[in-house]
Amino acid sequence: MKYVTATSDMIDSIYDVLHTSIKTIYPKYYPKEVVEFFCQHYSKEHILDGIASGNMGVLADGNRIIGTGCFDCNHITGVYVLPSHQRQGCGTQIMNCLESEISKKYDIAILDASLPAVCLYEHRGYKTVGHGIYELENEVKLVYEIMEKKLRTN
């Protein structure tokens, strides 16, 4: 498996990874309004913005894209792996690449962890530094952990 910078011709595959992961995993942790929020958030326009930034990558197994990750400055903004490839080290490989890039300019990586991902990040050395709440319609709340990890010492 290889992690490479995403290009615009990969948009459909990235969209599939994001939406398949969200629709499969998130309903176990969040109400349908939160699942819909994430699906709307990860529109093709949003994905193209991530690709244009140069900070979005994909994990490919041969010619098949099975995962994606993105960052902005020192903020990891998304890590998703197809459910069929989870618990096989794919997320770890993506995180290693993102942290490596971030550590070139920053001492600390931060991320907003969804409920299903908190344990993964804790095992990587991330610590919860806050709790976020994003209010959606119908009084539904999206809750998440704000986490950070020291990448290098001065």
Side-chain angles (χ1 to χ4, degrees):
M1 287 183 281
K2 186 171 184 170
Y3 189 78
V4 298
T5 301
T7 57
S8 59
D9 62 316
M10 299 173 176
I11 187 167
D12 290 332
S13 295
I14 295 169
Y15 183 91
D16 180 58
V17 167
L18 293 166
H19 285 253
T20 299
S21 301
I22 291 164
K23 291 175 182 175
T24 303
I25 304 301
Y26 283 23
K28 299 172 186 171
Y29 297 87
Y30 292 116
K32 68 177 174 54
E33 290 88 352
V34 172
V35 176
E36 291 168 4
F37 167 80
F38 276 104
C39 286
Q40 289 172 4
H41 176 71
Y42 287 111
S43 65
K44 289 194 176 181
E45 295 82 44
H46 181 85
I47 296 167
L48 282 173
D49 288 343
I51 292 169
S53 75
N55 297 334
M56 177 177 269
V58 297
L59 184 65
D61 186 5
N63 291 329
R64 183 169 186 221
I65 293 173
I66 59 169
T68 187
C70 195
F71 68 98
D72 181 24
C73 297
N74 69 329
H75 186 190
I76 295 172
T77 58
V79 175
Y80 289 88
V81 174
L82 286 173
S84 60
H85 287 77
Q86 291 179 2
R87 300 192 180 277
Q88 299 174 28
C90 298
T92 296
Q93 189 171 347
I94 293 170
M95 287 296 294
N96 288 345
C97 293
L98 295 174
E99 289 173 359
S100 176
E101 284 301 308
I102 291 169
S103 71
K104 293 175 182 177
K105 295 182 182 177
Y106 300 95
D107 296 336
I108 294 173
I110 60 170
L111 53 81
D112 301 329
S114 63
L115 297 178
V118 170
C119 288
L120 165 76
Y121 298 130
E122 285 176 343
H123 282 98
R124 291 191 61 82
Y126 283 81
K127 305 285 185 213
T128 298
V129 296
H131 304 282
I133 299 174
Y134 188 81
E135 297 200 21
L136 302 172
E137 56 191 46
N138 301 326
E139 298 183 26
V140 173
K141 293 177 175 50
L142 162 58
V143 296
Y144 56 93
E145 301 290 304
I146 302 164
M147 305 181 85
E148 68 178 37
K149 175 183 177 180
K150 193 170 201 170
L151 300 175
R152 61 182 183 179
T153 56
N154 293 335

